[in-house]
């Protein structure tokens, strides 16, 4: 692993994104539109305060998952990945470079979406706002890491996009947004205890409901961080220098 | 200086259930432009992939610059250009070449020199996706040249280029060899044989000839590479009968 190659790769990925104004706009605007829509649907009810923050954690996860899995698949099909792996580029440099670049995008996305939810849609947050942003960024990183992993199993763009419902929707159903996790059937509860998005939603809920959620959020964040690490390591194992 | 930059012994490669290279033994001398010629489907790309160490091989030995192909220490010493240009369409020519320069640890001046070498200086700030096919393959070549490798392995680098550019690129290859670098260049265009110091003729995974062009013409009593190739195929089939 080499910090220079990681940073050059992150810089290159960001330069590619910069050339694609529409993708940047979609990454930054779509979460705001969805949050706004949700606030509007549940106008004059307490529902938005209950789930708004949790969704702030889910959007960056979903968006980054899709963007990352397609970006890495492009890298595989265009031959650039094969070429990079004949150079001194380490697999870890490659994975971390991507995680870093999309992490930067995640910070932007989280700041904008959180600001929009709180200041425009009037989301009530009892805890410190920066923790909301921090968890959103961590969720985006989780999306990036799982997207990198998923793209290792996709041969075509069609498959890559299909992995979104396969990887993401089960987590969404079980993360406690639709039914509180402790009211799920036992087996599903255990499954939800393992899935990372559950911890993202738990953390977001703690920040909105408690004035000093620090310890709870830190515990949840640690689990998400562990998942990010595991997904990055597993993802780098799917990068093969030799192929048939 | 070592005598052979590539030594291949009993290489067997199977791709998609088909034996692409059944049992190939060949070597590539240092400091020369060696042309790997053969029709498409003859196994050129597979052989090249085995040399750069990205091909899963069934058996056999591939030694490159004195080390087993694919060794980590070789990654800085070999420049590999894939058949379809492997560069980023959404970056400029310069951004592409600079990225590979950075990954390879090349000095800052190397980027512009490599772009100059493939005659793309006037397009340095254009997005690669907006360039023609031939220009894109030259960007891909520049990204390999920028690391100043000892051995360049190029898979059909001149395909689809106009005659002037093809001549310029072959002059560049000959110049690089004159500076002491070694090149293995594949092509399915037989008239490019005259540009090579030495030829490997490949057909159906077998080496039909490993010789210089003049020696090959004398041996087959023909006057160009195309006819020499046909004559060798006829002889091989007669021998098999």
């Amino acid at each position: 692993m080499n910090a220079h190659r990681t940073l050059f790769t992150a810089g290159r990925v960001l330069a590619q994104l910069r050339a694609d104004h529409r993708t940047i706009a979609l990454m930054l605007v779509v979460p705001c539109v969805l949050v706004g829509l949700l606030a509007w649907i549940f106008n004059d009810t307490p529902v938005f305060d209950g789930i708004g923050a949790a969704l702030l954690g889910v959007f960056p996860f979903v968006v980054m998952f899709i963007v990352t899995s397609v970006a890495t698949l492009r890298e595989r099909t265009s031959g650039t990945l094969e070429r990079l792996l004949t150079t001194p580029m380490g697999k870890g440099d490659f994975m971390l470079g991507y995680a870093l670049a999309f992490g930067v995008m995640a910070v932007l996305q989280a700041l904008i979406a959180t600001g929009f939810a709180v200041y425009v849609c009037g989301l009530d947050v009892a805890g410190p706002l920066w923790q909301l942003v921090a968890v959103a960024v961590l969720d985006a990183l989780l999306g990036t890491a799982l997207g990198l992993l998923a793209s290792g199993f996709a041969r075509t763009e069609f498959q890559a996009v299909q992995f979104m419902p396969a990887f993401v929707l089960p987590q969404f159903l079980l993360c406690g947004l639709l039914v509180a996790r402790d009211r799920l059937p036992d087996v599903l509860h255990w499954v939800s205890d393992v899935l990372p998005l559950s911890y993202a939603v738990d953390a977001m809920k703690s920040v909105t409901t408690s004035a000093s959620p620090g310890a709870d959020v830190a515990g949840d964040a640690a689990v998400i961080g562990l998942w990010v690490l595991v997904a990055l390591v597993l993802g780098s194992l799917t990068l093969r220098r030799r192929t048939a | 200086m070592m005598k052979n930059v590539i030594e291949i012994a009993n290489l067997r490669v199977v791709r998609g259930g088909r034996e692409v290279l059944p049992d190939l033994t060949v070597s590539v001398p240092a400091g020369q432009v060696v042309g790997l010629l053969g029709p498409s489907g003859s196994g050129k790309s597979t052989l090249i992939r085995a040399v750069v160490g990205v091909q899963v091989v069934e058996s056999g030995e591939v030694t490159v610059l004195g080390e087993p192909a694919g060794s980590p220490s070789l990654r800085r010493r070999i420049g590999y250009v894939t058949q379809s240009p492997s560069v980023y369409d959404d970056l400029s020519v310069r951004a592409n070449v600079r990225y590979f320069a950075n990954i390879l640890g090349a000095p800052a001046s190397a980027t512009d020199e490599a772009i100059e070498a493939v005659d793309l200086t006037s397009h340095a700030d254009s997005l690669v996706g907006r360039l023609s096919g031939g220009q894109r393959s030259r960007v891909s070549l520049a990204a390999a040249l920028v690391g100043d490798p000892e051995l360049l392995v190029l898979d059909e680098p001149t395909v689809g280029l106009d005659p002037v550019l093809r001549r310029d690129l072959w002059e560049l290859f000959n110049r690089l060899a004159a500076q002491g670098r070694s090149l293995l260049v594949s092509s399915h265009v037989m008239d490019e044989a005259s540009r090579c110091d030495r030829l490997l003729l490949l057909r159906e995974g077998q080496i039909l000839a490993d010789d210089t062009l003049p020696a090959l013409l004398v041996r087959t009593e023909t006057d160009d590479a195309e006819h020499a190739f046909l004559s060798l195929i006829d002889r091989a089939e007669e021998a098999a009968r």
Side-chain angles (χ1 to χ4, degrees), chain A residues 5 8-9 12 15-16 19 74-75 78-80 82-89 241-244, chain B residues 15 49 53-56 69 75-76 80-81 86-88 90-91 99-100 102-104 140 143-144:
Chain A
R5 288 194 280 270
F8 284 129
T9 301
R12 186 263 298 170
Q16 284 179 284
R74 258 174 42 183
E75 191 105 39
S78 69
T80 45
E82 175 172 304
R83 172 180 223 157
L84 283 176
L85 291 178
T86 65
T87 70
M89 170 79 92
R241 288 194 195 264
R242 274 182 198 272
T243 52
Chain B
R15 289 182 87 175
R49 282 168 49 83
V54 298
Q55 177 65 51
V56 173
R75 285 178 200 143
R76 218 180 283 275
Y80 170 40
V81 179
S86 45
V87 282
Y88 300 98
D90 40 10
L91 292 179
Y99 174 58
F100 285 99
N102 287 334
I103 295 300
L104 294 162
S140 198

Side-chain angles (χ1 to χ4, degrees), chain A:
Chain A
M1 296 251 272
N2 174 297
H4 285 284
R5 288 194 280 270
T6 303
L7 289 173
F8 284 129
T9 301
R12 186 263 298 170
V13 173
L14 284 174
Q16 284 179 284
L17 268 182
R18 204 161 50 224
D20 188 351
H21 302 294
R22 200 172 299 174
T23 294
I24 293 186
L26 285 170
M27 285 171 107
L28 300 182
V29 173
V30 169
C32 294
V33 172
L34 293 175
V35 167
L37 193 60
L38 199 73
W40 198 4
I41 292 172
F42 293 112
N43 199 12
D44 299 326
T45 71
V47 177
F48 181 62
D49 282 332
I51 62 170
L55 281 172
L56 278 180
V58 174
F59 292 146
F61 172 73
V62 174
V63 173
M64 291 302 172
F65 180 92
I66 299 175
V67 173
T68 315
S69 53
V70 171
T72 19
L73 188 74
R74 258 174 42 183
E75 191 105 39
R76 283 172 203 271
T77 50
S78 69
T80 45
L81 180 64
E82 175 172 304
R83 172 180 223 157
L84 283 176
L85 291 178
T86 65
T87 70
M89 170 79 92
K91 296 173 187 176
D93 301 333
F94 180 83
M95 300 296 275
L96 280 182
Y98 261 93
L100 208 61
F102 286 122
V104 170
M105 287 307 292
V107 171
L108 274 180
Q109 188 191 49
L111 283 174
I112 292 173
T114 308
F116 185 81
V118 171
Y119 297 112
V120 179
C121 303
L123 180 72
D124 272 334
V125 180
L129 271 185
W130 71 265
Q131 291 188 4
L132 210 61
V133 173
V135 175
V137 170
L138 203 56
D139 289 346
L141 278 179
L142 178 67
T144 298
L146 287 178
L148 283 166
L149 176 59
S151 81
F153 299 98
R155 297 249 174 278
T156 65
E157 281 88 348
F158 287 147
Q159 293 177 11
V161 175
Q162 298 290 337
F163 272 124
M164 200 282 282
F167 266 68
V168 174
L169 279 185
Q171 296 200 57
F172 182 77
L173 294 175
L174 296 175
C175 71
L177 266 182
L178 301 181
V179 176
R181 292 206 294 126
D182 49 16
R183 299 224 305 271
L184 287 170
D186 279 348
V187 175
L188 293 183
H189 190 187
W190 298 331
V191 174
S192 81
D193 276 345
V194 179
L195 297 176
L197 199 61
S198 311
Y199 294 88
V201 168
D202 283 356
M204 285 304 205
K205 280 186 174 163
S206 308
V207 181
T208 40
T209 53
S210 155
S212 53
D216 286 345
V217 172
D220 293 328
V223 176
I224 303 171
L226 190 67
W227 260 95
V228 172
L229 212 64
V230 170
L232 283 177
V233 170
L234 289 178
S236 69
L237 293 180
T238 70
L239 301 180
R240 296 249 182 272
R241 288 194 195 264
R242 274 182 198 272
T243 52

Side-chain angles (χ1 to χ4, degrees), chain B residues 1-8 26-35 63-66 77 149-153 173-185 196-200 210 212:
Chain B
M1 188 165 176
M2 70 189 87
K3 202 167 136 280
N4 289 327
V5 280
I6 303 172
E7 280 177 353
I8 298 173
V26 75
S27 56
V28 171
Q32 295 193 359
V33 180
V34 175
T63 310
V64 181
L65 300 172
R77 302 169 68 194
E150 291 163 55
L151 170 66
L152 270 165
V153 182
F173 299 157
N174 293 130
R175 213 159 53 233
L176 290 167
Q179 292 165 8
R181 294 185 191 79
S182 311
L183 293 91
L184 177 65
V185 185
C196 304
D197 299 317
R198 196 172 182 85
L199 300 176
L200 299 174
D210 173 5
T212 62

Side-chain angles (χ1 to χ4, degrees), chain B residues 9-14 19-24 56-61:
Chain B
N10 306 107
L11 176 64
R12 179 166 181 269
V13 178
V14 177
E19 202 173 47
V20 182
L21 301 176
D23 181 16
L24 190 134
V56 173
V57 304
E58 210 73 13
S59 58
E61 273 177 42

